[in-house]
Amino acid sequence: MKYLFIVQGEGRGHLTQAISLSQMLRRHGHEVVEVLVGKSSNREIPAFFLEKIGAKVKTFASPSFCYGKDHKKVKLTKSILLNITVKKLREYRKSVNLIHRHIQKTEPDVVINFYEILAGLMNLRFREHVPFVCIAHQFLMKHPDFQYGTGTGREEMLLRLNNTLCSIGATKTLALSFYPLKDFYRERMAVVPPLLREEVLQADPEDKGYILGYMLNPGYADEVKEWHKSHPDQEAHFFWDKKTAPPVFRVNDRLTFHRINDVKFLEYMQGCSGYVTTAGFESVCEAMYLGKPVMMIPTHVEQEINAADAVGAGAGIESTTFDVSRLVEYIPTHNADTGAFRDWVQSAEELFIRHLTTLV
């Protein structure tokens, strides 16, 4: 079968999910004919994605978040206003047309959408007859047994609206989850394990005594530097998405910032004592699979739900700042059931292949 991927390119989570699924499909004799990635002008597609996805990649303009002057928290109102200007709406119309043209050109048997809202809007406009599968952790919010994101606040309501728009016309929704739940047939939803790459599944974890961190927004670097002044003996390595930074920026002998590099990131994940992150779903799953305690600092409502879900699943703790001392103090008490989570993750390939080759 021929598959076309449409991927939301904000952060690394959906990108690494796409890599993992492309590897699975090829192992079973299928083909990924093309990958369309939505991105904003201030983001770059990481080199590791272009190297490993194994298919032609085409980018298009897509809505994105706006952050405050400190480059930390998402500003929701500002994000909405920026993305509904006449100029932006014209760009997004072109993107919707581009997605449609590429589906027509490549003639895939199945289109897989990794949480890109313009893919849903394309379905709304053109009513594609190709089977359309949507994959994301966010879709779990529709499941009756999911405990988080059920509030009536403005941000949660907008997130649920975004979930609906992303999945317009979906033949099937695959909701990524930290743990098994029954499929929810009324919503054509199957609950599936995280999509972790082969390199993660084959990794050999150990404890070398340092802390690993990942921050999508470079504004948190000042918090990390300030914390490290009071803890100069603690070795720490942080990965960030700062265009103007060199590949390796050494603050001192014990604190280093690295530009996003997936191979290097996994190497550091294998050897860390604990992991601190802004609560993206994918890297938390990688840490859980390798038995690494996690501290999560959410920057918007989607990550707040991720963090609450991950804490409930035994991943670690939640915080409001990059005060890494909290993680260091927590590490000796961490006692999660890594075996059950690893078994769930290792069932992914069988479930995904079945769901993607037997579509209703």
Side-chain angles (χ1 to χ4, degrees):
M1 295 176 66
K2 291 164 46 177
Y3 295 82
L4 181 138
F5 287 5
I6 306 171
V7 188
Q8 186 227 100
E10 184 85 1
R12 66 185 284 274
H14 302 291
L15 298 172
T16 56
Q17 290 165 14
I19 291 173
S20 178
L21 188 58
S22 70
Q23 292 171 344
M24 287 182 185
L25 289 170
R26 280 194 290 270
R27 281 196 294 271
H28 289 263
H30 305 294
E31 179 186 4
V32 179
V33 293
E34 192 170 34
V35 180
L36 308 178
V37 181
K39 63 181 288 293
S40 61
S41 57
N42 62 335
R43 296 290 187 203
E44 292 182 350
I45 303 299
F48 76 84
F49 180 78
L50 300 174
E51 293 167 3
K52 294 184 177 180
I53 191 63
K56 181 181 177 182
V57 176
K58 176 73 175 178
T59 62
F60 59 87
S62 177
S64 62
F65 288 126
C66 289
Y67 299 89
K69 292 181 179 179
D70 58 2
H71 300 287
K72 296 179 182 178
K73 294 282 187 179
V74 167
K75 300 297 183 182
L76 187 60
T77 301
K78 184 179 177 181
S79 298
I80 294 171
L81 292 176
L82 176 71
N83 284 297
I84 61 173
T85 63
V86 172
K87 180 181 177 181
K88 288 291 186 181
L89 291 176
R90 285 174 178 167
E91 288 182 0
Y92 302 152
R93 182 179 179 181
K94 290 180 181 178
S95 296
V96 166
N97 291 335
L98 180 148
I99 294 169
H100 173 63
R101 287 198 310 272
H102 281 257
I103 292 174
Q104 295 292 305
K105 178 182 176 181
T106 57
E107 298 183 333
D109 297 303
V110 180
V111 174
I112 300 178
N113 178 23
F114 293 88
Y115 207 62
E116 172 52 60
I117 188 172
L118 295 186
L121 296 180
M122 182 279 305
N123 249 338
L124 179 64
R125 181 178 180 188
F126 292 105
R127 298 295 178 182
E128 289 286 353
H129 297 296
V130 179
F132 194 78
V133 179
C134 295
I135 299 176
H137 177 242
Q138 290 88 335
F139 296 129
L140 206 59
M141 291 175 66
K142 286 187 175 182
H143 197 287
D145 296 331
F146 188 65
Q147 304 175 25
Y148 311 100
T150 58
T152 57
R154 181 183 62 167
E155 292 188 351
E156 288 190 16
M157 292 176 68
L158 286 171
L159 178 56
R160 287 195 288 271
L161 174 61
N162 193 71
N163 292 345
T164 298
L165 294 176
C166 285
S167 58
I168 291 173
T171 309
K172 183 181 290 188
T173 300
L174 301 183
L176 303 171
S177 175
F178 292 117
Y179 40 80
L181 290 173
K182 292 181 179 179
D183 294 344
F184 187 31
Y185 296 106
R186 193 181 77 191
E187 292 288 341
R188 295 186 177 183
M189 177 193 297
V191 179
V192 291
L195 275 167
L196 301 189
R197 296 160 296 134
E198 276 298 302
E199 294 88 341
V200 178
L201 303 183
Q202 296 172 2
D204 186 16
E206 54 184 325
D207 186 347
K208 295 184 177 180
Y210 59 80
I211 297 298
L212 174 66
Y214 171 70
M215 56 180 75
L216 180 61
N217 310 320
Y220 284 108
D222 291 337
E223 286 188 15
V224 173
K225 293 175 186 176
E226 195 62 30
W227 162 80
H228 201 262
K229 287 179 182 178
S230 303
H231 303 82
D233 294 331
Q234 175 63 62
E235 183 180 359
H237 295 269
F238 278 80
F239 284 75
W240 59 356
D241 184 23
K242 187 174 181 180
K243 286 183 178 180
T244 57
V248 177
F249 172 58
R250 298 189 187 281
V251 179
N252 53 53
D253 290 342
R254 308 291 284 176
L255 176 61
T256 307
F257 288 87
H258 307 263
R259 283 285 299 276
I260 292 177
N261 178 303
D262 219 47
V263 173
K264 185 187 289 187
F265 178 82
L266 181 54
E267 290 175 356
Y268 278 98
M269 177 69 84
Q270 289 181 82
C272 72
S273 297
Y275 176 55
V276 55
T277 177
T278 45
F281 176 76
E282 197 67 15
S283 67
V284 171
C285 290
E286 292 173 350
M288 290 176 67
Y289 189 83
L290 298 177
K292 306 296 183 178
V294 185
M295 184 173 80
M296 293 156 280
I297 303 95
T299 64
H300 50 78
V301 64
E302 177 187 320
Q303 292 184 346
E304 290 171 5
I305 293 169
N306 285 350
D309 192 18
V311 170
I317 58 173
E318 190 176 346
S319 179
T320 57
T321 67
F322 273 82
D323 179 8
V324 186
S325 299
R326 287 200 60 209
L327 176 62
V328 174
E329 293 168 1
Y330 167 74
I331 288 172
T333 69
H334 181 70
N335 186 27
D337 185 1
T338 303
F341 181 73
R342 290 172 71 96
D343 290 343
W344 172 232
V345 169
Q346 287 168 5
S347 70
E349 185 153 345
E350 177 186 352
L351 290 173
F352 273 94
I353 295 301
R354 173 159 56 84
H355 284 303
L356 294 177
T357 55
T358 56
L359 293 170
V360 296

